[in-house]
Amino acid sequence: MCGIVGYVGPRQASDVLLGGLARLEYRGYDSAGVAIMAEDGVRVVRRLGKLVNLSGVIESEPVPGGVGIGHTRWATHGRPSEENAHPHADCTGRIAVVHNGIIENYVELREELAATGHVLRSETDTEVVAHLVESYYTGDLAAAVTRTVARLDGSYALGVVHADHPDTVVAARKDSPLIIGLGEGENIVASDIPAVLEYTRDVLVLHDDQVATVSAGEVVVRDGSGEVVADPELMRVDWDLDAAEKGGYEDFMLKEIFEQPTAIRETLRGRMGEDGEIQLSELDMTPEQVTAIDRVFIIACGTSYHAGMVAKTLIEQWARIPVEVEVSSEFRYRDPIVDDETLVVAITQSGETADTLAGVREARERGAKVIAITNVVGSRVTRESDGVIYTHAGPEIGVAATKTFTAQIAALYVLALKLAQAKGTLSDERVESLWLELSNIPDVVEAILADLDGLKECAAEYTAACSSLFLGRGIGVPIAMEGALKLKEISYIHAEAYAAGEMKHGPIALITEEVPVVVVATQGHTYEKVVSNIQEVRARGAHIIAVATHGDDEITRHAEHVLRVPATSEVLSAIPATVPMQLLSYYIAKARGCNVDQPRNLAKSVTVE
Ligand code: M6R
């Protein structure tokens, strides 16, 4: 997730671009750059690190001009560096491009371009766009961009400038956001509304496959076949700036909960090959090496540890490889049994968690191959592991992990399927049907988020609770643990999670009418057992909040509140069952007046032991 700004108008473009990028820095902040149409052609300035590094250079050496594009980067391909920072130029240096999204077929496009004499200088997927535009350009920039985007698989929001068109920015999008702020004699292209609010509240929303030619006086939108779109979508924004930065949501946490369909979709993107093979080159192992794996060890902390627990079920069930999951702080001091036939998976959204990094070193010293799953390109875990699988959730600002958790689970589904394929433990038909269902999970999450009836009312009833219990069975256990963690960390209500069958061996003593019990009761092979556990606590006065499947009428007889999720197969229920619990915690915390984005005593990345 990166931030894009483009400007055409009477002001100094560099001022508008830097101001707009500052408003978008929440979207990424490992490097930044601008391309300005100067008198002598396209001038590109890029700097590694936060935007302030770029602003400093431009302040001391201004680049005058009223047209330009800018970018703040959240790396997806290629480590954070000046060479990988956007804008990227073509061979002639007359074309510059900024991009947000992921171009899935960039490897084959790079090869094709290199074979026809193009010289690519960065490690990014984006650079191919500049060279494709160069190769298709015959005098009409919008037409060249249209031909270029037709060659791209994946997602993109693009801003393109060309020295031959010093008064124009061309913008295009598919599956990545892009809007155009419509000013008086000026227009501003941006990834998000906060970047344009200083200048206008009138916004054109670019749709998938549309290409816009933006000049100071007009915006012409064309569809993929080059036809002018007569009625592009226009809107007037009435949010204030603070609300706009949060996309109109009250808090980053709520925004990030709602970003989960995109985060999961982006993480799954490009993982299924046309040959039916799961694409996971990051594993960098031959089928023989995978076959030799006799054990998987997952290390992680907090929410990431819960994702690891979900993965245990997936990998054991699908690939039939035994999996151990351990919190990193224990693993590193426990003299663990790992060797060169153990695959160690380190899960850390930040990539900077001290205990997990220490666990990675420990495992590698013992000869294990370590694969990291992280959301942050270039983070320390990526430098210390043998391979990296990225989640593509975009930056998560709220301290409580939400979209990074479900994106981690999405990545772990992919890993489990890959291991199963390599081991030959699932038939091709089974992999295909699981993949189809998995690909539908973002839509399932969208459906949950579109129907919050009852959630706020349910939360309101338990605002005054002092203690709570979360129960589940099977894959529902880590989901219950994550639900409890969310509630305790943002609302400060004590929350304990237990395997439902274990509850009668102790925690049942805690049950009173004042202790709400949240139960993961989605359909599965232990559903009846879960219902029995509900009855056990209910008999002791507990109030039940059940997360259950649409169409399950029986559950209404056993629970005071039912939070519904669409039906999925049991093993794929982990993500859907998580979402209502995130929202429940959120609304309870809000009703208690808590700061959900920055809960007390917590930090987004825990870089100390
Ligand atoms: O960056 P990591 O995934 O390694 O962080 C691990 C935990 O600190 C983290 O998951 C923490 O538990 C969450 N912020 C809780 O919401």
Side-chain angles (χ1 to χ4, degrees):
M1 191 156 109
C2 307
I4 290 180
V5 184
Y7 179 74
V8 192
R11 301 174 205 261
Q12 285 301 326
S14 58
D15 292 345
V16 182
L17 299 179
L18 291 171
L21 292 176
R23 301 266 178 238
L24 298 181
E25 224 182 354
Y26 73 88
R27 299 178 65 84
Y29 35 72
D30 62 45
S31 53
V34 293
I36 310 264
M37 309 302 281
E39 277 184 1
D40 54 350
V42 180
R43 293 267 301 278
V44 174
V45 186
R46 307 181 293 185
R47 282 296 177 275
L48 179 62
K50 289 203 153 216
L51 187 61
V52 60
N53 298 353
L54 178 69
S55 312
V57 184
I58 292 184
E59 214 168 276
S60 54
E61 291 171 49
V63 188
V67 177
I69 51 178
H71 189 270
T72 173
R73 181 168 186 244
W74 175 260
T76 59
H77 294 73
R79 76 212 132 83
S81 68
E82 197 164 309
E83 296 70 43
N84 290 334
H86 300 211
H88 289 284
D90 69 325
C91 296
T92 66
R94 294 176 66 73
I95 298 170
V97 170
V98 289
H99 165 230
N100 169 35
I102 296 172
I103 296 166
E104 289 165 20
N105 57 338
Y106 82 103
V107 174
E108 77 196 52
L109 291 172
R110 275 182 89 97
E111 282 166 7
E112 176 189 314
L113 287 160
T116 52
H118 290 264
V119 179
L120 288 97
R121 303 174 205 92
S122 75
E123 302 161 325
T124 65
D125 54 341
T126 302
E127 195 185 345
V128 298
V129 177
H131 293 271
L132 283 173
V133 174
E134 178 189 1
S135 66
Y136 289 129
Y137 180 72
T138 54
D140 182 337
L141 182 56
V145 171
T146 305
R147 287 187 67 189
T148 295
V149 295
R151 298 289 317 281
L152 307 180
D153 293 339
S155 59
Y156 55 81
L158 293 169
V160 184
V161 289
H162 192 305
D164 288 357
H165 303 267
D167 302 322
T168 307
V169 170
V170 171
R173 71 155 272 189
K174 181 170 162 278
D175 291 341
S176 285
L178 204 62
I179 54 113
I180 302 168
L182 306 172
E184 291 284 328
E186 61 183 350
N187 290 305
I188 309 124
V189 177
S191 301
D192 201 356
I193 288 167
V196 308
L197 277 190
E198 197 178 330
Y199 309 101
T200 181
R201 287 178 173 272
D202 291 315
V203 162
L204 184 156
V205 181
L206 207 61
H207 283 211
D208 279 356
D209 304 317
Q210 292 182 339
V211 175
T213 306
V214 183
S215 54
E218 68 171 351
V219 176
V220 179
V221 179
R222 292 190 169 80
D223 63 19
S225 55
E227 292 295 314
V228 172
V229 176
D231 54 350
E233 184 188 340
L234 302 175
M235 67 181 265
R236 177 136 185 107
V237 181
D238 48 17
W239 308 324
D240 63 20
L241 199 52
D242 181 52
E245 275 178 351
K246 294 171 185 150
Y249 294 97
E250 252 183 79
D251 323 86
F252 281 110
M253 182 182 174
L254 190 60
K255 175 170 179 273
E256 286 156 6
I257 288 173
F258 275 79
E259 282 171 349
Q260 290 182 107
T262 307
I264 300 163
R265 217 171 260 132
E266 289 298 316
T267 301
L268 296 177
R269 186 181 289 287
R271 292 303 187 181
M272 176 54 92
E274 278 169 17
D275 54 1
E277 283 287 314
I278 297 287
Q279 305 295 302
L280 203 57
S281 53
E282 298 91 326
L283 210 50
D284 196 22
M285 291 171 93
T286 61
E288 294 72 39
Q289 285 171 316
V290 178
T291 310
I293 296 173
D294 63 6
R295 208 152 57 100
V296 173
F297 219 123
I298 299 180
I299 55 172
C301 304
T303 294
S304 298
Y305 170 70
H306 300 149
M309 290 180 71
V310 172
K312 175 180 168 68
T313 301
L314 311 179
I315 297 172
E316 290 189 343
Q317 210 178 95
W318 291 347
R320 307 306 295 159
I321 306 173
V323 181
E324 275 187 67
V325 193
E326 190 159 31
V327 288
S328 312
S329 52
E330 286 300 313
F331 175 86
R332 62 182 290 195
Y333 291 117
R334 202 177 51 82
D335 192 13
I337 304 170
V338 289
D339 57 23
D340 57 359
E341 288 181 353
T342 314
L343 175 67
V344 171
V345 182
I347 310 174
T348 163
Q349 70 79 24
S350 65
E352 302 288 346
T353 299
D355 283 320
T356 303
L357 289 168
V360 166
R361 284 174 215 131
E362 183 70 38
R364 289 185 83 197
E365 269 166 28
R366 287 163 192 258
K369 181 163 177 121
V370 177
I371 300 294
I373 296 186
T374 187
N375 196 43
V376 183
V377 176
S379 56
R380 279 181 67 186
V381 80
T382 66
R383 297 194 292 273
E384 300 211 15
S385 305
D386 298 296
V388 184
I389 302 172
Y390 286 108
T391 50
H392 293 294
E396 191 173 64
I397 312 284
V399 166
T402 52
K403 63 175 178 173
T404 53
F405 175 62
T406 48
Q408 284 169 347
I409 296 178
L412 288 160
Y413 278 121
V414 174
L415 175 64
L417 283 175
K418 181 72 193 172
L419 292 175
Q421 267 185 336
K423 287 267 185 190
T425 44
L426 290 181
S427 68
D428 292 349
E429 294 71 32
R430 180 79 179 121
V431 171
E432 193 188 338
S433 76
L434 282 167
W435 177 259
L436 276 179
E437 209 191 337
L438 182 55
S439 311
N440 191 43
I441 292 293
D443 294 347
V444 168
V445 174
E446 252 157 29
I448 297 169
L449 293 171
D451 180 13
L452 302 184
D453 282 356
L455 240 161
K456 282 188 194 169
E457 293 74 10
C458 171
E461 255 183 63
Y462 301 104
T463 304
C466 296
S467 190
S468 60
L469 189 61
F470 284 67
L471 301 175
R473 278 177 179 259
I475 210 161
V477 175
I479 301 310
M481 289 172 75
E482 176 58 12
L485 178 64
K486 281 294 87 79
L487 185 66
K488 73 182 98 170
E489 70 179 328
I490 63 168
S491 77
Y492 316 135
I493 295 174
H494 170 252
E496 182 157 345
Y498 248 80
E502 186 67 9
M503 176 261 317
K504 56 185 169 296
H505 300 289
I508 199 164
L510 296 173
I511 300 297
T512 68
E513 280 179 15
E514 274 71 52
V515 179
V517 179
V518 183
V519 186
V520 182
T522 43
Q523 290 297 327
H525 71 293
T526 54
Y527 174 80
E528 294 304 337
K529 303 279 175 210
V530 171
V531 169
S532 305
N533 297 136
I534 291 177
Q535 281 162 343
E536 285 160 12
V537 286
R538 243 187 154 202
R540 276 120 187 131
H543 282 218
I544 306 294
I545 303 163
V547 176
T549 312
H550 280 298
D552 173 5
D553 296 330
E554 184 190 342
I555 199 75
T556 50
R557 289 194 278 118
H558 306 294
E560 275 66 32
H561 294 275
V562 182
L563 309 178
R564 298 283 179 181
V565 297
T568 60
S569 60
E570 184 176 354
V571 76
L572 290 175
S573 65
I575 293 176
T578 297
V579 178
M581 291 205 277
Q582 294 170 337
L583 288 160
L584 182 69
S585 300
Y586 171 83
Y587 287 120
I588 290 178
K590 289 296 285 184
R592 288 164 69 92
C594 300
N595 180 341
V596 296
D597 284 341
Q598 290 168 336
R600 72 180 177 215
N601 305 340
L602 293 175
K604 188 68 190 161
S605 49
V606 185
T607 54
V608 291
E609 253 198 77

